[in-house]
Amino acid sequence: MGINFNKSLKNSITLKIGVAIVVLLAVIFTLVVIDFRQAQTHEINKEMKKIILDVSHQINAQNQRTIDLVETLAYYQEIGNFGERKESLHYLYKFLNNHSDFAGVYFGYEPNADGQDSKYAGTSGKDHNSNGQFLPYVHWSESEIKIEPLVNVSINEYYQAPKKTGKTVITEPHNYEGEMITETTHPIEINGEFMGIAGIDRRLTKFRKMLKGLKPFETARFYLLSKENRVIGTSDENKLLAKYLNQIDKYEEAFMPLVGSNQVKVVHNKQLDKVIAYAPIEIADWKVLMTVDQSEIMSAVNETTSKMVILGIIGVFIICGLLYWLIDRYELLKEKLEYNRLQVQFFANLSHELKTPLNLIFSTLQLLDLYQKNNFESKTYQKLSEYTGTIKQNSYRLLRLVNNLVDITKINSNSFNLNLKNDNIVKIVREITYSVNNYIENEDRILEFNSNIEKKIIACDPFSIERIILNLLSNAIKFTEPGDKISVNVSETDEQEMILISVKDTGIGIPNKKQNIIFERFGQVDKSFTRNNEGSGIGLAIVKLLVELHNGEITVNSTYGEFTEFNIKLPIRRLQEQEESELSQKANMNHGINRIEIEFSDIYNLQE
């Protein structure tokens, strides 16, 4: 019994399974999308870390350059043991001319460090104070270099910090004459004693220009913060300059958790809808941040995600359509299987119904044969013998047709089983060939059997092999003339993996255009009512199917008007003993009726 699907049931099943598939695919796609987005976000974070770290390194390099230069200034004084003030002042002028990006450079001596304060005390001068202390500050004023003395050195960080620490100091940037500047100072030490400072005032405009020129993303914005979290540089929001972070409501909450870290970080801030990258700057404890609109940074990811979702929806529709198609195919397959079952059953019933009267006919013919032998000298013997011969031959022909129809139906429905056993294929073919020798000689044909091997054991069904060879020999007789030769040959292929059985005749041959149909069911070279030989056209179809059941193949080679040769290749393999025993128990071959007479029943003049 099969499952019957009406249209509404089919639609209901398709809908329910479709919904289940949608849910399953939704879960799978969600997991895939989440995994994809996480992987892409990780790659984006890596890229942003790389960008912000590169900016941090550039700023750090500028700070280091300034430190190196200020140390050079201090070293100049240390190796010269101060020397003349005029030379030191000239050196500062020259230095600033060569480094115009700096706002100013200076020396700041401790009182009487060079022993010349008394010389300049009470005199007017731009490089010292009223006490004669040497404090020259050389700086740019508009486009000119000017000089004036440093003031309040006793309290300012740029002087007191290096004095206390003995190290280079970068002060907190501050607003000076409308510009953000920072001082970088280094102690001047002679014989281990602090004698003053060398310093550089640096404009931070350069950093603003650098940040403004960076465009890794269209919406990228950069912010440079000092140690005290004061905005000392920005790519395009100059109104924020000099403001402390806690004075900027817009960014305080987002930036504050980052600026205390000494690690490079990237965060996705939902409140600002931005991705924020942060990196510390080692020298001066500065920090740099970059913000990028979330919509831009995730646009490619969102676009790919949308495509994945669309493809997923299309996939669901395709799967639902395929499911509907499969259910429809299942119905057709079920109908076909049922049709094959009915077909096998029909031919089995037909075989039974035909074989029953045929058996009665054969029994009657046996009685008639017995009667004829007892009345051999009767005048009616010859006539009666002719009639019984005709009845017998046509009965065989009918029996052959029934057997062929039943068997081809069984084979096509996979209900035909070979009775395989390990047997000598050379012996089987040779004995079948010799068994028809008398029939062929009566037809004035010449029969030959050749083999280059004496024995070869393979797994085969002797009954089916007999049927194959007899059918090919029957065809050879039908399509040859008296005096023609029929040859049967058994050999091994060159690779010794196959047995080759050849049945060749020198008859009328087969036209090229007909050679591709002779193995088809009911395929005949001559289908006219006036053809010279009878046949149903299913004999060679049976032969081909039986050969293929042996995992072999059959081909034909023919030249019209010259010859026809059928070549059968069977694999050389053996059954295991247990397998052979089981198959042998299934064998139930009935040799009660002469197989040769059945296969040759289409040749009318055999009884003449």
Side-chain angles (χ1 to χ4, degrees):
M1 294 181 65
I3 301 175
N4 293 316
F5 291 107
N6 57 39
K7 187 172 182 180
S8 61
L9 179 60
K10 187 196 305 182
N11 292 338
S12 176
I13 292 174
T14 304
L15 178 62
K16 290 178 180 178
I17 297 179
V19 170
I21 290 174
V22 169
V23 173
L24 178 61
L25 289 181
V27 173
I28 293 173
F29 276 128
T30 300
L31 294 175
V32 169
V33 168
I34 290 174
D35 184 66
F36 169 78
R37 291 182 70 87
Q38 287 177 342
Q40 292 300 307
T41 301
H42 179 70
E43 291 300 316
I44 289 169
N45 291 351
K46 281 176 60 178
E47 181 63 22
M48 291 192 68
K49 282 183 178 181
K50 181 180 177 183
I51 293 170
I52 199 67
L53 196 57
D54 183 60
V55 174
S56 171
H57 288 161
Q58 290 184 53
I59 296 173
N60 206 59
Q62 289 296 320
N63 286 346
Q64 184 62 53
R65 170 178 173 267
T66 304
I67 290 174
D68 292 341
L69 290 172
V70 80
E71 288 177 354
T72 301
L73 285 174
Y75 184 66
Y76 169 80
Q77 294 289 35
E78 290 172 353
I79 62 172
N81 198 15
F82 291 123
E84 292 294 328
R85 292 186 176 186
K86 185 182 293 186
E87 291 180 5
S88 297
L89 193 60
H90 175 73
Y91 183 77
L92 290 176
Y93 270 96
K94 183 178 179 182
F95 184 92
L96 188 59
N97 259 320
N98 291 335
H99 300 89
S100 57
D101 54 321
F102 294 145
V105 292
Y106 47 89
F107 291 131
Y109 288 4
E110 281 283 276
N112 206 32
D114 62 349
Q116 300 181 43
D117 284 7
S118 60
K119 180 180 178 180
Y120 295 98
T123 64
S124 63
K126 296 181 179 180
D127 60 352
H128 58 273
N129 61 14
S130 60
N131 297 322
Q133 186 179 358
F134 192 53
L135 301 169
Y137 176 49
V138 179
H139 64 95
W140 290 100
S141 178
E142 295 181 355
S143 59
E144 293 182 338
I145 296 178
K146 293 184 177 182
I147 183 171
E148 59 184 278
L150 296 173
V151 295
N152 300 323
V153 293
S154 61
I155 59 173
N156 278 330
E157 180 189 9
Y158 69 85
Y159 191 93
Q160 295 301 320
K163 182 177 181 179
K164 291 177 181 179
T165 63
K167 296 179 180 180
T168 303
V169 172
I170 298 179
T171 65
E172 177 71 9
H174 57 90
N175 196 326
Y176 178 75
E177 296 183 355
E179 285 190 285
M180 293 296 294
I181 66 168
T182 182
E183 296 102 346
T184 303
T185 56
H186 186 79
I188 300 171
E189 295 180 344
I190 298 176
N191 298 323
E193 183 181 355
F194 178 79
M195 302 299 286
I197 64 165
I200 297 174
D201 281 356
R202 183 167 40 138
R203 301 187 190 96
L204 300 185
T205 309
K206 183 175 182 179
F207 290 125
R208 294 208 305 273
K209 291 179 179 179
M210 182 192 78
L211 295 177
K212 191 171 184 179
L214 296 174
K215 278 293 180 181
F217 301 98
E218 186 65 29
T219 58
R221 302 289 184 270
F222 288 90
Y223 305 91
L224 180 62
L225 304 183
S226 70
K227 181 179 180 180
E228 301 298 328
N229 295 329
R230 194 178 194 182
V231 179
I232 57 176
T234 177
S235 54
D236 63 352
E237 294 186 70
N238 293 334
K239 63 183 180 180
L240 300 180
L241 283 175
K243 288 187 177 181
Y244 289 96
L245 194 57
N246 58 10
Q247 297 175 323
I248 309 171
D249 295 337
K250 181 179 179 182
Y251 295 126
E252 180 184 7
E253 187 176 344
F255 287 179
M256 272 300 185
L258 298 173
V259 295
S261 175
N262 60 355
Q263 300 290 326
V264 179
K265 290 186 177 182
V266 174
V267 296
H268 294 249
N269 188 284
K270 293 182 179 179
Q271 185 178 357
L272 294 177
D273 196 26
K274 293 180 183 292
V275 181
I276 305 171
Y278 162 82
I281 299 170
E282 182 181 357
I283 298 175
D285 288 335
W286 293 354
K287 308 102 177 175
V288 62
L289 297 102
M290 174 179 68
T291 65
V292 182
D293 288 355
Q294 187 90 14
S295 58
E296 178 188 4
I297 204 74
M298 298 297 289
S299 60
V301 178
N302 293 335
E303 183 180 352
T304 304
T305 302
S306 299
K307 289 179 179 178
M308 291 173 68
V309 172
I310 292 171
L311 288 175
I313 294 172
I314 293 173
V316 168
F317 280 109
I318 291 174
I319 291 173
C320 290
L322 180 62
L323 177 65
Y324 190 90
W325 180 83
L326 286 174
I327 293 176
D328 190 57
R329 294 301 96 185
Y330 174 80
E331 287 188 75
L332 294 177
L333 177 62
K334 180 177 68 66
E335 291 174 1
K336 186 176 181 180
L337 291 173
E338 179 64 14
Y339 171 77
N340 287 339
R341 187 188 68 79
L342 293 173
Q343 190 179 46
V344 171
Q345 184 178 355
F346 169 75
F347 281 110
N349 293 337
L350 178 65
S351 173
H352 175 75
E353 294 298 327
L354 289 175
K355 284 184 177 179
T356 299
L358 281 174
N359 287 334
L360 293 175
I361 293 172
F362 284 126
S363 298
T364 302
L365 288 172
Q366 287 179 340
L367 292 174
L368 286 173
D369 286 341
L370 182 61
Y371 175 78
Q372 291 178 70
K373 291 178 181 179
N374 294 334
N375 298 277
F376 180 74
E377 296 180 356
S378 171
K379 293 180 180 180
T380 60
Y381 169 76
Q382 184 176 0
K383 198 68 176 175
L384 188 60
S385 177
E386 181 181 341
Y387 291 155
T388 56
T390 301
I391 293 171
K392 184 183 293 185
Q393 183 171 8
N394 282 280
S395 297
Y396 283 143
R397 186 181 173 201
L398 182 58
L399 181 60
R400 178 174 182 257
L401 177 61
V402 171
N403 287 340
N404 284 346
L405 288 172
V406 172
D407 288 346
I408 200 168
T409 304
K410 285 184 176 180
I411 293 172
N412 287 331
S413 61
N414 297 319
S415 59
F416 185 94
N417 295 315
L418 293 178
N419 296 306
L420 296 174
K421 57 183 275 188
N422 293 327
D423 212 332
N424 185 357
I425 187 66
V426 180
K427 180 182 177 183
I428 294 172
V429 177
R430 181 173 58 239
E431 289 181 352
I432 296 170
T433 303
Y434 288 156
S435 69
V436 301
N437 191 47
N438 290 336
Y439 287 86
I440 292 178
E441 286 183 351
N442 288 338
E443 294 298 304
D444 294 329
R445 273 70 163 176
I446 302 169
L447 178 64
E448 291 182 352
F449 175 82
N450 297 294
S451 177
N452 59 3
I453 50 177
E454 288 297 322
K455 182 178 181 180
K456 179 59 68 174
I457 304 298
I458 68 169
C460 64
D461 179 2
F463 178 73
S464 296
I465 297 297
E466 178 187 29
R467 194 166 176 184
I468 291 167
I469 301 301
L470 287 177
N471 187 285
L472 295 178
L473 289 173
S474 172
N475 280 341
I477 295 171
K478 290 179 191 178
F479 299 104
T480 53
E481 300 293 336
D484 284 338
K485 184 168 70 173
I486 301 172
S487 302
V488 179
N489 185 69
V490 181
S491 61
E492 283 186 277
T493 57
D494 293 338
E495 299 82 8
Q496 296 186 340
E497 295 178 352
M498 307 284 283
I499 285 291
L500 178 62
I501 302 172
S502 168
V503 178
K504 183 177 182 180
D505 65 68
T506 58
I508 63 175
I510 304 171
N512 287 335
K513 62 181 181 180
K514 297 289 185 178
Q515 291 180 20
N516 60 339
I517 66 166
I518 59 173
F519 293 113
E520 296 177 4
R521 199 183 311 182
F522 308 113
Q524 293 178 316
V525 175
D526 185 0
K527 294 188 177 183
S528 65
F529 287 111
T530 58
R531 60 182 184 266
N532 295 328
N533 299 285
E534 295 296 332
S536 61
I538 60 175
L540 286 175
I542 289 281
V543 167
K544 184 175 186 292
L545 292 172
L546 290 175
V547 170
E548 290 175 348
L549 285 174
H550 282 82
N551 294 321
E553 62 177 20
I554 182 170
T555 56
V556 63
N557 179 28
S558 181
T559 299
Y560 188 61
E562 295 184 13
F563 73 93
T564 299
E565 181 178 19
F566 289 92
N567 293 305
I568 299 170
K569 288 184 179 180
L570 300 176
I572 299 176
R573 69 180 186 92
R574 293 192 181 192
L575 299 174
Q576 299 295 329
E577 291 183 4
Q578 182 181 359
E579 186 180 1
E580 180 182 4
S581 174
E582 291 175 355
L583 290 169
S584 297
Q585 290 174 9
K586 298 178 183 178
N588 185 24
M589 294 185 294
N590 181 12
H591 291 287
I593 299 176
N594 192 330
R595 295 292 307 168
I596 299 174
E597 292 185 348
I598 294 175
E599 292 296 336
F600 284 20
S601 59
D602 287 340
I603 306 171
Y604 284 138
N605 57 354
L606 284 177
Q607 301 294 331
E608 293 178 357

